[in-house]
Amino acid sequence: MLVGRPLPRREDARILRGRTRYVDDIEADLHIAFVRSPHARASIVGIEGAAITAADLAGRVRPVPLTVPPGVEVADAAHPILADGEVRYVGQPIAAVIAGSRAQAEDALEHVVVEYEPFEAEPEELLRWHKAGGDVEAAFAAAAHVIRTHHVIPRAVAAPIEPRGCVAQADGDVLRVWLSAQDIHRPRAGLAHALDRPPESVHVTLADTGGAFGSKGPPAPEVVVAAVAALDTGRPVKWVETRSENFLAAYQGRGVEGDVELALDGDGRMLGVRARLVADTGAYLHQATAVPPHTMGMLMTGAYDIAAADVEVVGARTDRVPTGPMRGAGRPEACYLLERTVDA
């Protein structure tokens, strides 16, 4: 029995002695770097000087599949591996260059020329969810008091100490990938799907990971491109993003605006809650973008005995990096929106 027994940590001595092995500690023959969009919304007129573009990946890769919670309707807007024909947020990966060192790869980016034609975006919905229970109309009709609040929760950047990265290597029929990630199975399944390979042919190893806070779940599009480069060259390929790239291109959390109504009787007992919530999904749907809004909506009765609830969540497309799970994945948002209404 393990319950009640202290379990000694196995990694402390190694970490304290500096014997950790992060992704960037793994040697690789080749390094890959990415050309990123400077525009929030633009057509791509032409690309010159890149080693890998969306045209090179056509028919070879597909977006990482979406996780769609029960009852959530999502648009056909999965994040492309590389931008194809247009860009939708600053920092979106457009093309890749490959060189013998990270410094050479970063220098090579300066020789890639991309011609853009910016244009304005139109409002769109990328997801929608609605659920009701109990007699909401009766609860509000019988209420002695109805409290209405409006709150905005800004976006947040996870900013782990170690940015995202990988080393990919082809080993016969097996693709081996070393990752800075939160688990093995989501990246393995995502890579197998994106590359249309049998799952047993993708081996994922987690190096030591310097933080994640939710931002290292599904495989990043850049990891898929690094894997393709490793398969094509037959040599190990490393990608480690810069701090600026992590700020621009790693999926972010929060980004919610909500209107909440709380019905109470004369003694202050909560009778019902109504909420209309708008989640900033960003420009595309990452694998887990739909999860935090759904979780937020499901938890809008909080820890209270509320017999009637009606909650609607809309995911709005914006010209920003997509959102995803971060530090609670919808739970802190629901708590904040409801508890601030309780305070009111």
Side-chain angles (χ1 to χ4, degrees):
M1 290 290 291
L2 298 179
V3 176
R5 288 176 51 195
L7 296 177
R9 288 160 55 94
R10 296 183 295 177
E11 67 271 28
D12 290 356
R14 179 172 55 83
I15 292 173
L16 290 170
R17 292 187 174 120
R19 295 176 181 171
T20 50
R21 190 173 188 239
Y22 297 96
V23 164
D24 208 15
D25 295 322
I26 301 171
E27 297 295 329
D29 293 347
L30 300 174
H31 293 251
I32 191 167
F34 290 87
V35 179
R36 298 186 181 276
S37 170
H39 298 284
R41 190 73 183 269
S43 297
I44 299 173
V45 179
I47 303 175
E48 295 181 3
I52 303 175
T53 66
D56 300 307
L57 301 180
R60 302 188 60 194
V61 302
R62 51 186 174 175
V64 175
L66 305 181
T67 296
V68 183
V72 177
E73 301 173 11
V74 296
D76 182 14
H79 194 297
I81 302 302
L82 290 176
D84 188 5
E86 67 175 8
V87 292
R88 286 182 172 266
Y89 66 90
V90 173
Q92 182 176 350
I94 298 172
V97 296
I98 303 170
S101 72
R102 179 171 174 173
Q104 290 172 339
E106 291 179 352
D107 287 345
L109 292 177
E110 299 180 6
H111 299 285
V112 179
V113 178
V114 183
E115 185 180 352
Y116 302 95
E117 196 172 280
F119 63 92
E120 293 295 324
E122 296 181 0
E124 295 180 70
E125 286 185 10
L126 295 192
L127 67 85
R128 178 175 285 275
W129 177 85
H130 176 253
K131 191 166 186 177
D135 195 336
V136 179
E137 294 300 323
F140 276 83
H145 308 283
V146 175
I147 305 300
R148 295 178 176 86
T149 63
H150 176 81
H151 299 287
V152 176
I153 304 174
R155 277 176 172 240
V157 176
I161 294 173
E162 178 199 23
R164 300 173 301 164
C166 73
V167 173
Q169 179 180 3
D171 183 4
D173 294 332
V174 174
L175 171 66
R176 301 189 184 278
V177 182
W178 289 262
L179 274 178
S180 177
Q182 293 170 231
D183 59 78
I184 291 173
H185 299 287
R186 281 182 295 175
R188 179 175 181 254
L191 281 169
H193 177 90
L195 298 167
D196 196 19
R197 296 173 64 91
E200 60 270 18
S201 73
V202 180
H203 291 192
V204 173
T205 301
L206 294 193
D208 288 314
T209 299
F213 313 119
S215 70
K216 294 178 182 176
E222 294 90 343
V223 175
V224 178
V225 180
V228 171
L231 292 169
D232 285 351
T233 62
R235 300 165 68 184
V237 175
K238 181 194 287 189
W239 167 63
V240 176
E241 68 180 354
T242 65
R243 174 58 54 196
S244 296
E245 286 180 299
N246 181 266
F247 189 89
L248 284 174
Y251 63 76
Q252 300 175 357
R254 318 292 186 237
V256 172
E257 189 166 343
D259 292 293
V260 183
E261 297 179 279
L262 192 60
L264 306 103
D265 67 14
D267 296 323
R269 175 173 291 278
M270 301 178 197
L271 303 176
V273 63
R274 283 195 294 236
R276 297 295 177 264
L277 313 175
V278 178
D280 178 352
T281 61
Y284 301 100
L285 296 174
H286 263 311
Q287 188 263 344
T289 295
V291 173
H294 173 260
T295 302
M296 172 180 62
M298 287 289 291
L299 296 179
M300 280 305 298
T301 55
Y304 300 103
D305 180 15
I306 303 177
D310 187 317
V311 181
E312 182 180 46
V313 179
V314 172
R317 186 173 220 160
T318 62
D319 294 333
R320 304 181 189 181
V321 62
T323 49
M326 197 201 83
R327 297 303 295 264
R331 297 167 185 85
E333 294 92 309
C335 183
Y336 178 85
L337 291 166
L338 182 59
E339 292 298 338
R340 291 296 290 132
T341 307
V342 172
D343 287 347

